[in-house]
mmCIF file of all heavy atoms in Angstrom:
data_model
loop_
_atom_site.group_PDB
_atom_site.id
_atom_site.type_symbol
_atom_site.label_atom_id
_atom_site.label_comp_id
_atom_site.label_asym_id
_atom_site.label_seq_id
_atom_site.Cartn_x
_atom_site.Cartn_y
_atom_site.Cartn_z
ATOM 1 N N LEU A 1134 -6.872 9.513 -17.175
ATOM 2 C CA LEU A 1134 -6.175 8.292 -16.784
ATOM 3 C C LEU A 1134 -4.766 8.263 -17.351
ATOM 4 O O LEU A 1134 -3.808 7.886 -16.668
ATOM 5 C CB LEU A 1134 -6.954 7.064 -17.260
ATOM 6 C CG LEU A 1134 -8.232 6.701 -16.507
ATOM 7 C CD1 LEU A 1134 -8.976 5.583 -17.225
ATOM 8 C CD2 LEU A 1134 -7.913 6.286 -15.073
ATOM 9 N N SER A 1135 -4.640 8.646 -18.599
ATOM 10 C CA SER A 1135 -3.323 8.657 -19.237
ATOM 11 C C SER A 1135 -2.393 9.660 -18.557
ATOM 12 O O SER A 1135 -1.217 9.369 -18.302
ATOM 13 C CB SER A 1135 -3.462 8.989 -20.720
ATOM 14 O OG SER A 1135 -2.204 8.973 -21.364
ATOM 15 N N LEU A 1136 -2.936 10.838 -18.246
ATOM 16 C CA LEU A 1136 -2.124 11.859 -17.578
ATOM 17 C C LEU A 1136 -1.678 11.393 -16.196
ATOM 18 O O LEU A 1136 -0.524 11.576 -15.804
ATOM 19 C CB LEU A 1136 -2.912 13.163 -17.466
ATOM 20 C CG LEU A 1136 -3.087 13.967 -18.756
ATOM 21 C CD1 LEU A 1136 -4.077 15.111 -18.536
ATOM 22 C CD2 LEU A 1136 -1.749 14.517 -19.230
ATOM 23 N N VAL A 1137 -2.612 10.789 -15.445
ATOM 24 C CA VAL A 1137 -2.268 10.276 -14.118
ATOM 25 C C VAL A 1137 -1.167 9.232 -14.238
ATOM 26 O O VAL A 1137 -0.186 9.246 -13.482
ATOM 27 C CB VAL A 1137 -3.503 9.675 -13.424
ATOM 28 C CG1 VAL A 1137 -3.090 8.912 -12.161
ATOM 29 C CG2 VAL A 1137 -4.494 10.770 -13.054
ATOM 30 N N GLY A 1138 -1.319 8.293 -15.180
ATOM 31 C CA GLY A 1138 -0.328 7.237 -15.345
ATOM 32 C C GLY A 1138 1.051 7.788 -15.656
ATOM 33 O O GLY A 1138 2.055 7.384 -15.047
ATOM 34 N N VAL A 1139 1.124 8.728 -16.599
ATOM 35 C CA VAL A 1139 2.417 9.302 -16.978
ATOM 36 C C VAL A 1139 3.037 10.064 -15.811
ATOM 37 O O VAL A 1139 4.238 9.950 -15.527
ATOM 38 C CB VAL A 1139 2.256 10.227 -18.203
ATOM 39 C CG1 VAL A 1139 3.541 11.015 -18.453
ATOM 40 C CG2 VAL A 1139 1.907 9.405 -19.444
ATOM 41 N N LYS A 1140 2.212 10.840 -15.097
ATOM 42 C CA LYS A 1140 2.740 11.622 -13.966
ATOM 43 C C LYS A 1140 3.199 10.709 -12.832
ATOM 44 O O LYS A 1140 4.027 11.114 -12.005
ATOM 45 C CB LYS A 1140 1.658 12.587 -13.455
ATOM 46 C CG LYS A 1140 1.251 13.670 -14.440
ATOM 47 C CD LYS A 1140 2.342 14.714 -14.633
ATOM 48 C CE LYS A 1140 2.414 15.693 -13.490
ATOM 49 N NZ LYS A 1140 1.267 16.628 -13.462
ATOM 50 N N CYS A 1141 2.678 9.488 -12.770
ATOM 51 C CA CYS A 1141 3.079 8.537 -11.726
ATOM 52 C C CYS A 1141 4.217 7.630 -12.176
ATOM 53 O O CYS A 1141 4.662 6.775 -11.402
ATOM 54 C CB CYS A 1141 1.888 7.686 -11.289
ATOM 55 S SG CYS A 1141 0.589 8.612 -10.437
ATOM 56 N N GLY A 1142 4.690 7.791 -13.422
ATOM 57 C CA GLY A 1142 5.852 7.038 -13.888
ATOM 58 C C GLY A 1142 5.557 5.904 -14.833
ATOM 59 O O GLY A 1142 6.481 5.196 -15.255
ATOM 60 N N PHE A 1143 4.282 5.682 -15.193
ATOM 61 C CA PHE A 1143 3.924 4.597 -16.101
ATOM 62 C C PHE A 1143 4.073 5.038 -17.555
ATOM 63 O O PHE A 1143 4.125 6.227 -17.864
ATOM 64 C CB PHE A 1143 2.483 4.150 -15.851
ATOM 65 C CG PHE A 1143 2.275 3.394 -14.578
ATOM 66 C CD1 PHE A 1143 1.964 4.051 -13.399
ATOM 67 C CD2 PHE A 1143 2.401 2.012 -14.552
ATOM 68 C CE1 PHE A 1143 1.759 3.356 -12.214
ATOM 69 C CE2 PHE A 1143 2.206 1.303 -13.371
ATOM 70 C CZ PHE A 1143 1.886 1.981 -12.206
ATOM 71 N N SER A 1144 4.090 4.049 -18.437
ATOM 72 C CA SER A 1144 4.097 4.335 -19.864
ATOM 73 C C SER A 1144 2.787 4.994 -20.273
ATOM 74 O O SER A 1144 1.741 4.759 -19.672
ATOM 75 C CB SER A 1144 4.280 3.043 -20.658
ATOM 76 O OG SER A 1144 5.508 2.424 -20.348
ATOM 77 N N ASN A 1145 2.846 5.803 -21.329
ATOM 78 C CA ASN A 1145 1.659 6.487 -21.816
ATOM 79 C C ASN A 1145 0.615 5.466 -22.260
ATOM 80 O O ASN A 1145 0.902 4.546 -23.020
ATOM 81 C CB ASN A 1145 2.036 7.390 -23.002
ATOM 82 C CG ASN A 1145 0.872 8.230 -23.467
ATOM 83 O OD1 ASN A 1145 0.025 8.627 -22.672
ATOM 84 N ND2 ASN A 1145 0.805 8.496 -24.764
#
Side-chain angles (χ1 to χ4, degrees):
L1134 286 172
S1135 181
L1136 286 171
V1137 169
V1139 170
K1140 295 289 283 289
C1141 293
F1143 288 90
S1144 299
N1145 186 32

